[in-house]
Amino acid sequence: MTRRRTARLRRTLLAGITAIAVTAVTAGIVAAAQEPAKAATGPELSLVAATTSVTLTTWKEEPGVYLDLGTYLIAEGTPLELKVTRKSYKDPVTVTQTVYEGGKTKAKKLPTGTVKDFSGLPGFSEITLTDKAGKKVLTRSESFCPNNASGRVRPDAPSTSKYPESCSTNPFTLGSVWGVEKGWAANTYAGSYTEPVQLSAGTYTAKVGVAKKYRDLFGIADEAATVKVTVVERSDEDEESTTEAVPRSAKAGEHAGHGAGHQAPTAHAGHGPGHAPAPAEAAAPVTSGAGPSYNVGHGPLKAAPPALPWALKKKQTSALSPQAGDIGGQTDGSRQAPALKPLSKRPAGRPSVPDVPKPDLRSLPAYGITIGDGGKDIPGKDYLAFSANVWNAGPAQLVVDGFRSPGKANMDAFQYFYDAKGKQVGYTPTGTMEWDPRPGHVHWHFTDFASYRLLKADKKEAVRSGKEAFCLANTDAIDYTVKNANWHPYNTDLATACGEENSISVREVLDVGSGDTYTQDLPGQSFDITGVPNGTYYIQVLANPEKRLKETNLDNNSALRKIVLGGKPGKRTVTVPAHDLVNAN
């Protein structure tokens, strides 16, 4: 069977790749207490190469090399912490750095234009490749997400990083937190956010440095890391002859578990020294939304780089610096999601809606808007497909349990409420859950969570999408700066949240700060515009349309995205104007 390299390199990962904490056993580590800082200080940052040589692969059928060179940014003394926000879609994205002063933290605003979106620091690393003759064959720069897969570089570093595990690519993100924990290193490789380069088989020398504006901004030394690069050419025929007897999920470099059954993603395998990261499978192709797809999750997040395979630094120091306290309820990475296991039996007693914090569901404007047809299955049709996200601005989680009566097809759904200490103090019936057997779903859907409507220019309804039932998963970090935001939600994909066909109960949680993106390729998520006249319309994403869920605010559940339909039957077109400063379809 032919291996699909491009597909693997583009795998949709809904869960951020869990950071692997690897203890560095390095001779000469000296623990030395540091005097409390009298002035605001930032982290001591340095760029290192984890190895002096790497071997990368180019494929004969589809030439191209991904430059995973094994370089890392190390934070010593204090963490590198950045908060990236925008007040609204009419305002630019700004970034502040958390610095430390006398045991307390303060915010230092970085220059306007430092970042343009929430995907990382643009143009952070600068890469130069020369061949054996010393001739320069490549110069490029790459963005850097501080939340990239990382690991410890000394044994006294925190055992886990409090920071999120990826950077957001959702065009309507409102707030992110990026960080490299102290004593940790973050991979500077941008993964599948980058494009491959064309290199012939042979040996090269790579020099990787940090752009001057970031060296000046963060006080990073002007010291490039040097790595020997060996490029080898392989072919599908080679792979078939050596892996014919090996199951696909077990082949080196494959992610196991992302089959049609929606199993949870496993750790990366086969990350020995100098190997490229496990390639990723493609996100489902853009379709009309009318036919089936095999998108195992909702969100369009791309693969992150692999976790740090080992820790390496010749000279180590230990700086025991003051840190911000991880106080419960604060947006500092201290919160952890509760277990997703539903209660053993359906609630008993009188339902009640206590006066405790509740979730606040909000919709993002639609994006990923495209025109398609019904193909061979539904000829003569025009469809308008789109991606949509409903998120939870908090300050409490949305927790919904479904319970199945033996022999019945549907589950009864209940919303649960918790006090400030996490104790359940009430519940209320809130509809049903139904099993969706269609390819691309194959899980339990909570009904009436959201509604999609195509509105005419006068805001009156023209078409309504047939999709109104959803499995809740925290696919996108929409605003991790809101109160009680959880930077490490558990149910980030369909495997952890949506149950099996024979499940007797299911718990679905939408955590604070996160949203659930349903991409335009999922079946049923589209408008049939075959008989809809050309003109101006609005795609409405409406959360909690029947108001069954109890929220802190019901007045912010709707989001509109303006579009203009044109063309002729069978060749319809759609124009999507910018939404304030967000010029993303």
Side-chain angles (χ1 to χ4, degrees):
M1 178 170 61
T2 300
R3 292 168 65 107
R4 298 181 179 178
R5 298 175 309 284
T6 303
R8 294 200 311 270
L9 282 162
R10 299 290 184 185
R11 176 182 297 262
T12 297
L13 289 184
L14 301 182
I17 299 176
T18 304
I20 298 177
V22 182
T23 303
V25 183
T26 306
I29 295 178
V30 180
Q34 184 184 39
E35 293 294 327
K38 296 181 180 180
T41 59
E44 177 189 339
L45 302 175
S46 57
L47 182 74
V48 300
T51 178
T52 58
S53 64
V54 297
T55 300
L56 305 179
T57 301
T58 182
W59 294 86
K60 185 177 181 179
E61 292 78 9
E62 298 177 29
V65 177
Y66 283 84
L67 294 178
D68 178 17
L69 301 173
T71 53
Y72 296 83
L73 186 73
I74 293 179
E76 300 280 10
T78 62
L80 170 64
E81 180 174 301
L82 304 173
K83 292 189 176 181
V84 191
T85 60
R86 57 180 161 203
K87 294 179 181 178
S88 73
Y89 299 128
K90 296 180 180 180
D91 298 290
V93 180
T94 62
V95 57
T96 59
Q97 181 182 359
T98 300
V99 295
Y100 298 83
E101 183 175 307
K104 297 182 179 180
T105 62
K106 62 181 297 184
K108 172 187 175 184
K109 187 174 182 179
L110 299 187
T112 301
T114 298
V115 296
K116 297 180 180 179
D117 56 28
F118 295 87
S119 63
L121 297 168
F124 182 86
S125 58
E126 298 179 333
I127 303 171
T128 301
L129 254 68
T130 54
D131 61 17
K132 291 173 60 175
K135 180 182 177 182
K136 186 183 297 185
V137 297
L138 173 72
T139 299
R140 72 183 297 176
S141 62
E142 291 189 348
S143 297
F144 168 56
C145 170
N147 294 345
N148 273 355
S150 57
R152 293 189 294 180
V153 294
R154 64 172 197 250
D156 65 327
S159 59
T160 58
S161 171
K162 62 176 173 284
Y163 298 109
E165 294 163 359
S166 63
C167 291
S168 178
T169 57
N170 190 305
F172 290 100
T173 300
L174 290 164
S176 291
V177 180
W178 302 339
V180 182
E181 184 63 90
K182 73 170 184 177
W184 282 58
N187 194 326
T188 62
Y189 171 55
S192 59
Y193 294 110
T194 67
E195 295 297 326
V197 298
Q198 302 302 314
L199 292 174
S200 301
T203 58
Y204 303 87
T205 299
K207 287 191 176 182
V208 184
V210 177
K212 184 177 186 304
K213 73 172 184 177
Y214 294 112
R215 297 200 308 267
D216 295 343
L217 199 59
F218 300 123
I220 305 173
D222 185 10
E223 298 176 357
T226 301
V227 181
K228 178 184 176 182
V229 179
T230 301
V231 176
V232 297
E233 184 180 73
R234 299 172 68 181
S235 70
D236 284 336
E237 294 179 356
D238 297 335
E239 285 293 283
E240 290 171 357
S241 64
T242 58
T243 62
E244 186 175 5
V246 182
R248 181 176 177 83
S249 61
K251 293 177 183 177
E254 294 250 2
H255 290 270
H258 272 277
H262 305 299
Q263 297 174 342
T266 63
H268 292 269
H271 279 284
H275 285 67
E281 185 180 17
V286 175
T287 70
S288 68
S293 73
Y294 298 90
N295 184 354
V296 299
H298 307 154
L301 299 183
K302 297 181 180 180
L308 184 68
W310 63 87
L312 174 68
K313 195 177 182 186
K314 293 181 179 179
K315 183 178 180 181
Q316 295 284 355
T317 59
S318 174
L320 306 179
S321 304
Q323 289 198 73
D326 280 351
I327 301 172
Q330 292 192 0
T331 307
D332 58 3
S334 62
R335 297 187 66 251
Q336 295 292 328
L340 293 179
K341 184 178 179 180
L343 300 180
S344 58
K345 54 186 177 181
R346 67 178 59 222
R350 175 176 293 183
S352 65
V353 182
D355 186 18
V356 294
K358 296 179 179 64
D360 181 11
L361 301 180
R362 302 181 185 182
S363 300
L364 297 184
Y367 62 99
I369 301 166
T370 184
I371 294 284
D373 57 38
K376 296 180 181 179
D377 296 330
I378 316 175
K381 291 284 189 176
D382 292 313
Y383 291 93
L384 177 69
F386 55 93
S387 294
N389 182 293
V390 173
W391 72 288
N392 181 8
Q397 294 172 314
L398 172 64
V399 180
V400 178
D401 276 7
F403 296 93
R404 189 176 195 173
S405 295
K408 290 189 177 181
N410 288 348
M411 294 187 181
D412 298 319
F414 299 85
Q415 181 181 0
Y416 286 86
F417 307 99
Y418 301 84
D419 63 17
K421 296 182 179 180
K423 180 182 177 181
Q424 180 192 316
V425 292
Y427 75 93
T428 185
T430 186
T432 61
M433 290 187 184
E434 61 185 23
W435 177 256
D436 190 334
R438 293 175 296 173
H441 293 286
V442 196
H443 49 238
W444 286 93
H445 277 167
F446 172 51
T447 56
D448 297 319
F449 174 68
S451 178
Y452 306 143
R453 307 174 188 193
L454 184 64
L455 307 182
K456 294 182 285 189
D458 59 4
K459 307 296 176 64
K460 293 182 179 180
E461 184 176 311
V463 183
R464 183 178 298 194
S465 170
K467 181 170 181 56
E468 292 191 356
F470 302 79
C471 168
L472 308 185
N474 299 300
T475 66
D476 291 55
I478 301 302
D479 193 345
Y480 275 9
T481 66
V482 297
K483 182 181 179 181
N484 288 343
N486 183 7
W487 298 351
H488 300 277
Y490 280 139
N491 56 320
T492 53
D493 59 62
L494 309 189
T496 57
C498 305
E500 304 292 339
E501 186 174 10
N502 60 357
S503 297
I504 196 168
S505 58
V506 171
R507 167 160 289 190
E508 298 186 3
V509 177
L510 193 61
D511 219 320
V512 180
S514 290
D516 188 357
T517 291
Y518 270 76
T519 50
Q520 77 272 61
D521 59 312
L522 285 170
Q525 185 161 310
S526 61
F527 300 117
D528 184 346
I529 59 169
T530 306
V532 176
N534 290 339
T536 298
Y537 294 86
Y538 294 89
I539 297 176
Q540 181 189 43
V541 180
L542 181 62
N544 194 14
E546 302 301 325
K547 301 182 179 180
R548 290 178 178 172
L549 294 168
K550 307 304 179 183
E551 301 185 56
T552 59
N553 188 353
L554 292 171
D555 297 329
N556 56 10
N557 289 11
S558 175
L560 301 179
R561 187 71 190 272
K562 183 178 180 180
I563 65 167
V564 180
L565 294 178
K568 298 179 180 180
K571 294 183 179 180
R572 300 296 295 272
T573 63
V574 60
T575 302
V576 185
H579 185 89
D580 296 328
L581 294 182
V582 181
N583 191 13
N585 178 4

